[in-house]
Structures are given as structure tokens and as C-alpha cells.
Amino acid sequence: MTGQSFAGELRIDLAAISDNVRRLDELAGSAGVMAVVKAGGYGHGLVPSALAALRGGATWLGVAQLSEALELRAAGLTCPVLSWLHAPGADFAAAVREDVDLAVSAPWGLEAVAEAARAVGRAARVHVKVDTGLGRNGVLHGPALTSLLDRTRALEAEGSVRVVGMMQHFAYADAPDHPEVRAQVVRFDAAVAEAEAAGCRLEVRHLANSAATLTNPSLAYDLVRPGLAVYGLSPVPSLGDHEHDGLTPAMTWSAPLAQVKDVPAGQGISYGHTYRTERATRVGIVPVGYADGVPRAGSGVGPLWVAGSRHTVAGRVCMDQLVVDLGPGSGAREGDPCVLFGPGTQGEPTAQDWAEAIGTISYELITRVGDRVPRRYVGGEPAWHLA
Ligand SMILES: *Cc1c(COP(=O)(O)O)cnc(C)c1O
């Protein structure tokens, strides 16, 4: 950290990530844990999160994009890594060279992976990603899957591809009791049986996201694939908060008050004066804004924590700053931290509180903090060469 930025600080508790993974590993029983570290470790930093997850007992890492998998390899991580969302032009040859497992969701992907494997001269390790009902990426169960599996037979015979895994993703991440969950599992089991009948020797069958890992141990199969829970937030807040799940949020976002000043009653605050002081009061200027990832939808509703008490964003969130009405006679001083969200242990809001205030999910809050906010790692070594 350079100390040059005033856009606050994103404090990442790596010990919390390790502890959360330990907890998930316990819940997974004999299944392994593939910690999902896509999107820069859900905003916590790709490599530091990956290392912390491995210290907590994860044996696999999962990412959405190949560039993330290659970054993990470049950092010296040698554990199994799976990348699952690709578009034509993806550098599958680099993936095969770097021993990255690849999910295949479509015929074009299977052919491109096989071609890369031929060029490199080594079989690619493939996980078939089945769309069992999510209606998103993945080969649709039924005839499309059957024809993809037919083709894998030929490619396995020529030695360019080995189908080592099969995966699916749930549509109801936040409603584990929804009947569609069961329906997807039935389709997944049928897909696994079909792959095995087609001669695939599956090493890992994996379908459980955070919600399934936390709520339904019977879905652990060979590997669970939690993301959000690794970072300590509840994927199903309606059933219980992170504490109920035995998790600790790893991210705390704070920024120092840049200015504290007294304003009269009736003072309009920030663009459009959507907030007007009812009495003479003291306001604080917080030097983070929507360019840093504070949702503009937090205008007038986003929770804040300053000098030991809860406040709400006063008026509009701007690009670089927001305002907090501290109340008359507030003892808050310039330089005091304003916490946007954290683990909640001191009374500060959590990312879940923000999500509820603006009508979104905590995933969105933690993954959107901008590069201008310096990351500070505590509770473990963030880099391999120091580990
Ligand atoms: C993001 C993702 C996960 C993790 O989901 P969480 O709800 O964060 O646990 C698992 N599997 C796939 C395919 C994903 O895209």
C-alpha cells in the first residue's frame, strides 16, 4: 500500500477466508472443496484469496475465466484448477500446457480444446458442464448432451481429451428447498450415468454452490464448489446470517472522513439536494463514491458506521465522495474512519445490510469495489513467495 490514495482501505482478513473454508470442508464430509476464486476472489484479491483458501483445506480452485486460471499458475500455484466459461478465441493451448482443467459447455468448445491438446501434444482434462435447468451456460441435458458425449468418445480414443469431471449449477442459489433443486439433481445423476455408460471415467462430480454446501450435505458428491461462503457471507440470508452459518465476512471497507463541518438547518446536501438538514448539524465528507464501487442506489439509504454509531448516506452518492449527517455536536473528527461494511462485530453494517438497503445481493457489493481502493491484507501471507 502506498498511502497515496484517499479512497479508503479495503481490509481483507485472510484468516477469516481460511477459517470459512475449514468450516465448509467440515460440512462437505469426505468431499473435497473447490474454492471459487473467480472475479478476483470475489473482490478480495485472486492470489491472496486462493492461498488463504488452500491454507484452510481447499484442494481445488475454480474460476470463471481462463485468464484467472493462468494468473494462479503464474503465481506458482500447482493445485488442480478448473476454468469454466470460455468464448471462441480462448487460449486453450496455454491451459493445456499449464495443466488447467477446462469445462466444456458446447461442441465448439470441445473441438477447440481437442485441437489445442493436439497442438500441445498432451490430453486436455475436461469437465462436461451440463445445463440441468439453470438455462445458462452448459450443454443442455438431453439430446445435446448425448451428442456431445458421443463426440468425447472419439476424442478420448485419439488421446486428445480426457473427460475427468461433470458439473452443473443450481438455478435457485438462494432457495435450497425449491423443487427445481431436486429436479436438477435428478437430471445431473442421469447425465453422470450417461457419461459413465459412454466410457468416461469421472474423477469428480460436482454440483454444490455455497447454498447447497451449507444446507444440503447430500449434494456434496466428490467436490463442493462454494464461492460466497468462502468470503464469509450467507448465500441464503432468509434462512440465517453468516453467524448462523458459522462464517466470518473477510472484507471491511472503510474510508477516513476527509472533512467535518457544521451546516445550518435547511442546508441541501449533495447533487440535487435530495437530502436537506432538519436542524443545524455536523456533516462528514467520505472520499469514496460510485467510481469506487459505492452503489449510487445507496443515496439516502446506504448504512455507515462512524465514531461508534450507525448513520445513513445523506443525499446522493457522487463519483468520488458521499456525505454523512453526523448529527449536531458529533465528536467525529477529520481522519476518523467511516466504515461502509465489515464483519459486523463492532456494530458496523455488513455487505448484506447494504444489499438489503439497496435491493441487491451481497455478491454485488463485494465484487464491485474499484481499483482505486487500496487492499490491505491481514491474517496471513497474501503472496506465495512470502508464504
Ligand atoms: C460462481 C459459481 C459458483 C459459486 O457460487 P456461490 O453462490 O458463490 O457459492 C459455483 N459454481 C459455478 C459454476 C459458478 O459460476
Side-chain angles (χ1 to χ4, degrees):
M1 197 180 127
T2 60
Q4 297 302 307
S5 171
F6 299 99
E9 169 184 288
L10 204 63
R11 180 180 182 275
I12 309 295
D13 182 353
L14 297 171
I17 292 178
S18 302
D19 288 345
N20 294 332
V21 170
R22 225 166 268 126
R23 162 93 181 124
L24 294 161
D25 195 21
E26 232 170 70
L27 288 167
S30 59
V33 175
M34 174 188 288
V36 178
V37 294
K38 64 188 178 187
Y42 285 48
H44 297 65
L46 175 67
V47 171
S49 301
L51 290 169
L54 294 172
R55 284 195 290 272
T59 49
W60 283 71
L61 297 171
V63 293
Q65 299 192 359
L66 192 44
S67 58
E68 301 172 305
L70 297 174
E71 204 178 322
L72 292 169
R73 286 287 184 254
L77 279 74
T78 56
C79 66
V81 173
L82 172 66
S83 167
W84 58 67
L85 183 59
H86 311 111
D91 190 357
F92 290 132
V96 175
R97 270 194 306 272
E98 296 291 336
D99 215 9
V100 171
D101 284 24
L102 294 164
V104 159
S105 297
W108 78 261
L110 184 60
E111 298 306 331
V113 168
E115 194 183 313
R118 284 180 214 113
V120 175
R122 162 153 35 125
R125 288 170 51 90
V126 161
H127 300 230
V128 175
K129 189 166 194 284
V130 187
D131 178 357
T132 63
L134 173 55
R136 204 179 68 179
N137 123 282
V139 56
L140 194 61
H141 68 97
L145 173 65
T146 304
S147 103
L148 190 91
L149 288 173
D150 275 350
R151 182 65 182 137
T152 63
R153 240 190 263 249
L155 296 173
E156 286 206 335
E158 74 165 37
S160 54
V161 157
R162 271 178 53 218
V163 178
V164 298
M166 186 163 256
M167 65 190 288
Q168 74 94 52
H169 197 45
F170 287 112
Y172 288 85
D174 52 353
D177 295 328
H178 194 283
E180 180 66 16
V181 173
R182 189 70 227 150
Q184 285 190 264
V185 174
V186 169
R187 293 180 202 118
F188 184 69
D189 289 343
V192 166
E194 190 178 347
E196 285 174 343
C200 301
R201 289 171 306 279
L202 301 179
E203 296 169 12
V204 284
R205 302 157 304 150
H206 45 107
L207 64 175
N209 56 6
S210 293
T213 304
L214 289 165
T215 62
N216 195 337
S218 74
L219 298 180
Y221 285 43
D222 302 311
L223 262 185
V224 294
R225 227 174 40 235
L228 189 73
V230 166
Y231 308 96
L233 291 157
S234 169
V236 199
S238 61
L239 292 185
D241 61 7
H242 60 269
E243 257 174 285
H244 167 270
D245 293 328
L247 303 171
T248 306
M251 180 184 285
T252 301
W253 189 5
S254 65
L257 294 176
Q259 187 181 3
V260 173
K261 65 180 175 188
D262 291 324
V263 296
Q267 175 66 53
I269 297 291
S270 190
Y271 292 129
H273 286 178
T274 58
Y275 180 82
R276 201 170 281 281
T277 60
E278 285 175 355
R279 56 202 179 339
T281 189
R282 190 162 282 177
V283 298
I285 312 303
V286 187
V288 289
Y290 61 76
D292 303 298
V294 182
R296 190 164 177 275
S299 300
V301 295
L304 301 168
W305 176 256
V306 187
S309 50
R310 281 271 192 133
H311 298 276
T312 303
V313 174
R316 294 226 176 107
V317 173
C318 309
M319 185 184 295
D320 314 300
Q321 54 190 298
L322 56 85
V323 183
V324 53
D325 183 347
L326 298 164
S330 163
R333 296 172 172 219
E334 288 156 355
D336 281 356
C338 170
V339 181
L340 287 96
F341 56 79
T345 41
Q346 313 291 313
E348 76 278 14
T350 60
Q352 179 57 32
D353 292 331
W354 262 86
E356 281 165 28
I358 67 171
T360 184
I361 51 177
S362 61
Y363 295 75
E364 193 178 353
L365 270 302
I366 59 175
T367 54
R368 62 182 292 165
V369 182
D371 291 343
R372 195 160 62 165
V373 184
R375 272 65 173 165
R376 184 164 71 90
Y377 291 98
V378 300
E381 296 300 343
W384 197 237
H385 63 278
L386 301 169

